[in-house]
Amino acid sequence: MSEFDICVLGGGPGGYAAALYAASAGLKVAIVEKDTFGGTCLNRGCIPAKGLLQAAEVYRNVQHADGFGFRLPKGETTVDWPAVNKRKSGVVNQLVKGLEGLIKKRKIEMVRGFGTMNADGKIVVDDRVIDAEHVIIVSGSVPKWFPGMEPGPRVITSDQATNSTWETLPKSIAVIGGGVIGVEFASVFVDLGVDTTLLEYLPNPVLPIGADQEVAAHVAKSLKKRGLKAIGGAKVGRLTDNGSSVTVPYEVKGKEQTLEVEQVLVAVGRRPLSEDQGFAEAGVQLDDRGFIEVDTATMRTTRDKVYAVGDVVNTPGLAHVAYAEAIVAVRHILGEDPVPVDYGKVPWIVYAHPEIAWSGMTEEQAKEAGIDYEVRKHPWPGNGRSMIVGETEGMIKILARPNDGPIIGFHLCGPWASELMNGGYYAVNWEATPSEVAHLIHAHPSLSEIIGETMITFSGRSLHG
Ligand code: NAD
């Protein structure tokens, strides 16, 4: 008999989800973490980034308070950046403390230190070999950069941007990469008055991959209106730190240009953290990009009794996907028959302003797959609550198979898209048809009415839309 049923390597979302879920099912669990429990998401990712976005929203609302009838002294609202960070860190610390408390309460053994895998497939921390029947590797990912973009005092990644020690905000910043991280931070900086330039390699500078491009265009339009300079097709060269500024050379359509900024944020993707931990040597196969290869039906690796979930696996790099994968792995260990994650239908949310969220196929994907579909879309201004809230930018777009067939794609940009999209997520995953959703009542006045009313329009009839 082993001392533990499972040893989880990594205390981020995938790791703590695996540990908590397994312990709740009666398994004996150890969890190894080299840094702070909560991983990237809690400490340098999702949570602090959303904390900063929330601060930017408050600032934006204060700037527009006169539209609601409040007279504030013009130009006298200033950003106290250390205070903004203090509030954000308060939320993070409270969540980390709560998580550690929960881990202890479930009687999961917390092992602090750097874990590696030995030839027997066991996890070793310092001199201790953790005697567990199964291992779940959840070692996560780290920001990547290209040669010439190495982090330094004036060149940062999301790791530093979420925990910056700046006394004041920089006057100017170049964000390299218009993906999820780049766009969320560009939104924060532009709203807080930083002169922000977004440089993206692909032609479309704002969310060129993943999102439906017609819907993503609303995010781009809004950011540009608020002052973002968004440059697509930009080949960024080697950065030069001049001490008080950074020179950013870039080429667009063969024309070389330079930009002089106080700071650079590199957001060109993340890479799996799978090296120097003995995985390959123990028979856990990695692909050529360093992702651990798994059978996604069970999350098993190529080594018996070793599983891997989260960012170290080549599936969408999202905390909630890691949670779901952790449950699949634990249920398989329990001898159950887990339902695998349907990766094409997971919820995606970009918390920029305006928010954009989706599940299922984009119109580009439907076209590429050559399938028949019908599409319905509506702008926000017909929705009373969005006018009350004062946020009418964005749109809804729904794709369904013809003749009241299943809904295959749900895309929303606008107020509280992050929360509203769950209805669309259920519809896509339950393969509901527009008439089935249209028959359900969406309360009035609510933002969610945009969903119900758009579903009605698939029938050729409509209320307001
Ligand atoms: P990403 O892959 O989403 O976007 C990177 C972007 O950088 C791409 O558009 C790419 O074309 C561009 N790029 C790459 N090299 C470049 C270069 N040399 N010059 C200019 N542009 C270049 O990566 P990310 O935004 O860094 O995010 C990393 C991961 O974190 C993703 O898996 C993402 O899902 C996850 N994440 C998710 C959320 C969320 O769900 N809200 C938030 C943050 C991060």
Side-chain angles (χ1 to χ4, degrees), residues 83-420:
V84 166
N85 276 279
K86 197 172 159 202
R87 178 182 188 275
K88 168 223 72 186
S89 299
V91 173
V92 169
N93 294 341
Q94 214 175 324
L95 286 170
V96 171
K97 242 165 84 192
L99 174 65
E100 290 188 356
L102 194 56
I103 293 173
K104 276 186 202 139
K105 209 167 127 196
R106 298 261 172 102
K107 309 225 176 320
I108 296 163
E109 182 167 338
M110 287 196 261
V111 183
R112 292 181 194 267
F114 184 72
T116 54
M117 184 169 271
N118 68 14
D120 299 331
K122 303 283 177 209
I123 299 301
V124 184
V125 181
D126 299 326
D127 294 335
R128 178 177 175 194
V129 178
I130 298 171
D131 179 26
E133 189 65 18
H134 302 88
V135 169
I136 305 181
I137 301 172
V138 207
S139 48
S141 64
V142 287
K144 69 176 184 194
W145 55 82
F146 296 106
M149 295 181 188
E150 290 78 10
R154 294 194 173 270
V155 180
I156 58 171
T157 68
S158 55
D159 277 0
Q160 293 83 36
T162 45
N163 288 293
S164 89
T165 49
W166 300 332
E167 276 304 309
T168 55
L169 278 164
K171 289 206 169 33
S172 57
I173 192 159
V175 177
I176 305 177
V180 182
I181 294 181
V183 167
E184 288 188 348
F185 274 102
S187 187
V188 170
F189 292 133
V190 94
D191 280 340
L192 296 182
V194 182
D195 180 2
T196 310
T197 307
L198 182 68
L199 295 165
E200 161 60 46
Y201 183 76
L202 293 171
N204 182 0
V206 174
L207 303 173
I209 307 166
D212 185 282
Q213 293 300 287
E214 184 184 14
V215 185
H218 287 264
V219 184
K221 190 174 158 197
S222 175
L223 286 168
K224 285 182 199 164
K225 207 169 99 189
R226 289 172 8 243
L228 177 73
K229 281 163 264 170
I231 303 171
K235 262 168 92 176
V236 180
R238 285 189 160 268
L239 311 176
T240 311
D241 185 340
N242 310 307
S244 58
S245 69
V246 186
T247 306
V248 184
Y250 65 97
E251 192 190 303
V252 179
K253 290 186 182 152
K255 202 172 152 223
E256 288 187 14
Q257 309 184 46
T258 55
L259 191 67
E260 203 75 17
V261 286
E262 268 189 35
Q263 285 284 340
V264 173
L265 170 67
V266 179
V268 296
R270 299 179 64 86
R271 64 172 181 83
L273 197 53
S274 58
E275 70 271 20
D276 305 329
Q277 291 161 93
F279 301 147
E281 297 79 353
V284 173
Q285 201 164 314
L286 311 180
D287 72 10
D288 53 4
R289 290 197 288 159
F291 289 107
I292 293 181
E293 291 192 348
V294 288
D295 160 21
T296 52
T298 59
M299 304 315 291
R300 268 189 301 189
T301 69
T302 48
R303 173 153 189 147
D304 192 31
K305 301 197 173 183
V306 177
Y307 296 70
V309 306
D311 283 9
V312 76
V313 166
N314 191 10
T315 55
L318 301 167
H320 46 276
V321 169
Y323 287 157
E325 290 176 340
I327 293 175
V328 170
V330 173
R331 290 195 61 195
H332 190 262
I333 290 169
L334 285 162
E336 297 173 3
D337 196 12
V339 181
V341 176
D342 192 345
Y343 292 103
K345 295 178 180 170
V346 302
W348 283 89
I349 301 169
V350 184
Y351 296 80
H353 177 77
E355 292 181 345
I356 173 168
W358 67 92
S359 171
M361 278 188 162
T362 62
E363 189 158 15
E364 291 84 11
Q365 287 168 337
K367 279 197 178 126
E368 205 181 307
I371 61 168
D372 291 333
Y373 63 90
E374 288 177 16
V375 58
R376 295 290 184 275
K377 32 195 168 183
H378 284 100
W380 279 100
N383 177 285
R385 187 100 197 270
S386 74
M387 293 176 78
I388 293 164
V389 171
E391 289 186 22
T392 53
E393 290 177 321
M395 68 181 296
I396 186 168
K397 180 170 178 179
I398 299 171
L399 279 75
R401 299 305 299 267
N403 306 316
D404 201 32
I407 296 161
I408 54 169
F410 180 92
H411 307 268
L412 191 58
C413 172
W416 288 109
S418 53
E419 301 294 335
L420 289 172

Side-chain angles (χ1 to χ4, degrees), residues 411-435:
H411 307 268
L412 191 58
C413 172
W416 288 109
S418 53
E419 301 294 335
L420 289 172
M421 73 92 53
N422 283 305
Y425 169 75
Y426 293 150
V428 168
N429 281 271
W430 282 337
E431 298 177 1
T433 68
S435 68

